[in-house]
Amino acid sequence: MKASKSLWGSLLLVPFLLTACGEDDSGENGLDEEAESAGERITIFQDKVEISDQLEELAAEYTEETGVEVEVWGTTGSDYFQQLQVRLNSNQGPSIFSIQQYTELERIHSYAYDMSDEDYVQYIAQDMELEYEGNIYGVPYGLEGFGLVYNKDLVDPSEVTDYESFVQTLQRFEDEDINGISLADNSFFMIGHLSNYPFSLQDDNYEFVQQLNNGEISLTDYEEFQELGLFMEAIRDYAPNPMEVSYDRQIGDFATGQTAMIHQGNWAAPMFDDYELDFEIGMMPFPLSGNDKLAVGVASSWVINNDKSDEEIQAANDFLEWMFTSERGHEYIVEEFEFVPALTNIEADNLDPLSQEVLDAANAEQTLPWSHIYYPANSVRNNLLPPTEEFFLDDSITPEEYIENLDEAWDVAAEEDE
Amino acid sequence: MKQKNTGWYLLFTAPLIIIFALVVLVPFVMGFYYSFFRWDGISANPMTFIGLSNYTALMGDEDFYTSAWLTIKFTIMAVVAVNVLGLGLALLVTSKLKTVNYARAMFFMPNLIGGLILGYIWQFIFSDAFRVLGENFGFESIFRNWLLDSSLAMYALVIVFTWQMAGYMMVIYIAGIQGIPGDTIEAAKIDGANSWQRLKSVIMPLLMPSFTICLFLTLSFSFKIYDVNLSLTDGGPVGSTELFALHIYNEIFGYSNYGYGQAKAVVFFLLIGAVTLTQVYITKKREVEM
């Protein structure tokens, strides 16, 4: 009897022990949380793997200068938005996070702090702020642009200005036994970026996407999309199958002179550091329907979590203010992160050639806006990629059929996203 | 006395029960609950109760059927391949080969590699290595990029899964084979049974318990396959290998239809449950007592 009593006693102890452990943990978290709500500690969660180390250094400097502790959370990049979503849901969200797409902001705008009245937003370059219903919710990381990256020894951009000259150039390279162009096997490199051009060439690309989502219009009725089909056919005829070309191979073949042009953006520039290029590279507009502009936009924006205490939001604001206005902050943005600055108070020199072309185009206002930021969430990977893969695998699919398939895929994406 | 023991048992299993409840039971019940809502997975956004609408919507979802059919096709091929190969290897390494110990270790090794990494390794083999072989030695109808062909990609998946699981099943079959008393086999030998007859009429029936376990494991593993699927083909080309687990993940995190994806997961659970329980029931009945 006695034995069993002590036994039941110890059984009862188990939950206590467990809660005791639990309390220990929450005690530690509690300290952090206290510091956070008092504005003495902030956390940052962002999606660019390339800058994680540099951002941590920046954070350490900031802590030294101001005493406010800054913690940078690591990321794997590819499933960033899912992770962010999970953290916000469990009330363990960061103080500052980043958003890539307008459609992402639409979904989690209740977590975004309205920074319209903050001081630093005045420095954002024209039309580059992350806006929702007229308020500013995000400050751009930097500008990114894409187009045809070309080998200056092989290609003269003035000879590639429309569909006919594009095909003639590819024909010429085929005779010379050089790949004219190559795409890489990633949903954005294969169709996501390329599909921008016909959208961005419309008068109001945002409105166009909305009309398409509502089923009011069909892609097949637009000349620009028919031409996209023709361009894709030319790529299918003259280029290696993109599904067999990895990003590394695409860059490698280009850097060693086996490929004359690749469709890429200035983000690829650091990859050329691994090669000793014996030629100069440049970026030219993709000549769809005679387009003569680079597609320039913002890849990611800094956003402050609205779901935190006023003090923590203030601390996050102070951090951003410091990064966007102090000399050290500017140095980090340009030299360490290697961004093309989207802030008017930053001077940028010593950019790599591709970034320089992007910045020149932006300064000359010779740019096309990005349209893929308005696409239904995840539609590039889930909906636009499959018909594109099919098109590249099956030569019997005509360009018209391909655009019809894309149009159908879009309807599915819009329906899923509603 | 008996009461006392129950208490002790409870005490020692308590941590496990608590963990099991937290990571399996609670999420399971919550998932079931979410399947009655229309929700995008963001807690600040509204969750609308829509009753059984998610389940009725499933009926007309063609992608759902395609993916279910692909999963069934994969499972049938994988279960047959894994068990035939597993049993074959087990018979081989319980024979009187000199190198049995090495052979066992070798065959089991693939199972120690994580599915994601396996997928990436084989991705290289099926795309680059095969292409190079084809270019140099001919036979280009076989040696080309399997992962770009909608019908071959499925076989590639089966091959990788078989390679990964056969060694594991082999170990279970070895245990079963070694559990068969030597005198039974010897008696069969003296009665004049040749090796095929011994295998068919003595070893196989006595191995039924191993079959029960192995079939159960391979059935449930191949229904639930996700990691190899993700890293080897990622559902491609053109969605021809998007098996069920990947399909549900894409529904929830790709299209952010949290409730709808959960409904698919519930149906998936019922399907696996029904199939595996039927299998266990059937094979259990055929187990013989010595």
Side-chain angles (χ1 to χ4, degrees), chain A residues 28-297:
Chain A
E28 243 173 57
N29 282 337
L31 272 185
D32 283 354
E33 269 164 32
E34 259 169 48
E36 276 173 24
S37 32
E40 287 158 8
R41 185 173 186 284
I42 57 171
T43 45
I44 302 178
F45 186 47
Q46 59 88 33
D47 61 316
K48 275 219 178 281
V49 187
E50 296 91 338
I51 66 163
S52 338
D53 294 344
Q54 295 89 324
L55 188 62
E56 271 175 41
E57 285 169 32
L58 176 78
E61 273 189 42
Y62 183 71
T63 307
E64 216 169 280
E65 214 178 294
T66 62
V68 177
E69 207 185 316
V70 182
E71 192 188 338
V72 179
W73 293 344
T75 173
T76 52
S78 56
D79 58 348
Y80 171 78
F81 191 67
Q82 277 91 302
Q83 287 185 33
L84 177 69
Q85 206 172 311
V86 169
R87 285 171 199 249
L88 290 175
N89 268 347
S90 54
N91 285 325
Q92 294 172 331
S95 335
I96 298 176
F97 54 90
S98 65
I99 289 236
Q100 290 184 335
Q101 286 202 355
Y102 179 76
T103 40
E104 288 178 352
L105 180 67
E106 276 183 327
R107 279 167 58 191
I108 62 167
H109 66 89
S110 51
Y111 284 103
Y113 168 77
D114 178 0
M115 41 175 79
S116 313
D117 298 330
E118 297 300 329
D119 194 35
Y120 48 79
V121 297
Q122 60 175 308
Y123 302 118
I124 302 175
Q126 206 186 349
D127 293 337
M128 291 300 166
E129 58 278 86
L130 185 63
E131 257 189 347
Y132 181 76
E133 292 177 346
N135 298 321
I136 299 175
Y137 286 99
V139 182
Y141 274 42
L143 296 180
E144 283 190 349
F146 55 81
L148 286 171
V149 175
Y150 65 100
N151 179 331
K152 284 193 175 171
D153 288 355
L154 297 173
V155 186
D156 176 0
S158 65
E159 284 172 9
V160 187
T161 53
D162 54 13
Y163 174 67
E164 280 76 30
S165 55
F166 180 72
V167 175
Q168 273 164 19
T169 312
L170 294 185
Q171 181 72 54
R172 175 168 66 86
F173 281 120
E174 187 169 72
D175 299 340
E176 290 172 19
D177 222 14
I178 294 176
N179 279 335
I181 184 167
S182 81
L183 305 181
D185 71 342
N186 163 299
S187 54
F188 272 92
F189 296 162
M190 257 166 79
I191 181 63
H193 292 143
L194 281 165
S195 66
N196 259 277
Y197 299 108
F199 281 104
S200 301
L201 287 169
Q202 309 298 327
D203 291 334
D204 182 343
N205 59 344
Y206 178 72
E207 193 49 40
F208 187 84
V209 171
Q210 299 313 313
Q211 285 177 346
L212 190 60
N213 285 346
N214 298 334
E216 291 160 22
I217 49 177
S218 162
L219 293 183
T220 49
D221 297 338
Y222 290 82
E223 188 187 330
E224 291 86 357
F225 283 93
Q226 293 301 344
E227 190 151 330
L228 176 70
L230 294 176
F231 269 93
M232 294 301 264
E233 189 190 29
I235 293 171
R236 183 174 70 186
D237 290 346
Y238 291 103
N241 185 345
M243 295 171 71
E244 293 194 80
V245 181
S246 66
Y247 187 18
D248 286 328
R249 188 178 145 201
Q250 184 194 28
I251 298 291
D253 284 354
F254 177 75
T256 51
Q258 295 169 51
T259 304
M261 298 182 283
I262 56 178
H263 191 263
Q264 276 297 353
N266 64 307
W267 55 79
M271 302 216 14
F272 294 117
D273 295 347
D274 297 340
Y275 298 90
E276 282 178 19
L277 296 186
D278 52 9
F279 54 87
E280 281 184 41
I281 56 176
M283 196 191 298
M284 65 178 164
F286 189 79
L288 185 110
S289 301
N291 166 47
D292 54 1
K293 295 169 180 161
L294 297 179
V296 176

Side-chain angles (χ1 to χ4, degrees), chain A residues 3-4 7-8 10-12 14-15 18 79 81-82 85-86 88-91 104 106-111 241 243-244 249 377-379 381-383 386-387 389-391 393 412-413 415-418, chain B residues 3-8 10-11 14-15 18 38-45 61 63 127-128 131 145 147-150 234-239 242 246 249-258 260:
Chain A
S4 89
L7 178 70
W8 286 109
S10 50
L11 245 186
L12 282 173
V14 171
L18 283 172
D79 58 348
F81 191 67
Q82 277 91 302
Q85 206 172 311
V86 169
L88 290 175
N89 268 347
S90 54
N91 285 325
E104 288 178 352
E106 276 183 327
R107 279 167 58 191
I108 62 167
H109 66 89
S110 51
Y111 284 103
N241 185 345
M243 295 171 71
E244 293 194 80
R249 188 178 145 201
N378 287 303
S379 56
R381 159 76 183 73
N382 285 328
N383 304 95
E389 289 184 334
E390 211 174 357
F391 178 74
L393 287 176
V412 176
E415 205 173 294
E416 291 269 6
D417 195 46
E418 66 183 11
Chain B
Q3 164 118 37
K4 196 171 133 193
N5 276 343
T6 322
W8 279 112
L10 276 175
L11 174 68
I18 291 167
R38 174 195 290 277
W39 186 40
D40 63 1
I42 293 161
S43 50
N45 293 355
D61 188 337
D63 290 347
S127 47
D128 292 351
R131 202 186 61 234
N145 193 335
L147 303 179
L148 289 191
D149 187 304
S150 321
D234 197 11
V238 207
E242 191 183 70
L246 190 62
Y249 179 87
N250 286 339
E251 186 68 53
I252 293 181
F253 289 106
Y255 293 118
S256 7
N257 294 329
Y258 207 93
Y260 188 45

Side-chain angles (χ1 to χ4, degrees), chain B residues 71 77 109 116 139 195-196 259-260 264:
Chain B
T71 313
M77 289 194 284
M109 205 85 86
L116 273 178
F139 299 113
S195 49
W196 169 244
Y260 188 45
K264 285 185 177 180

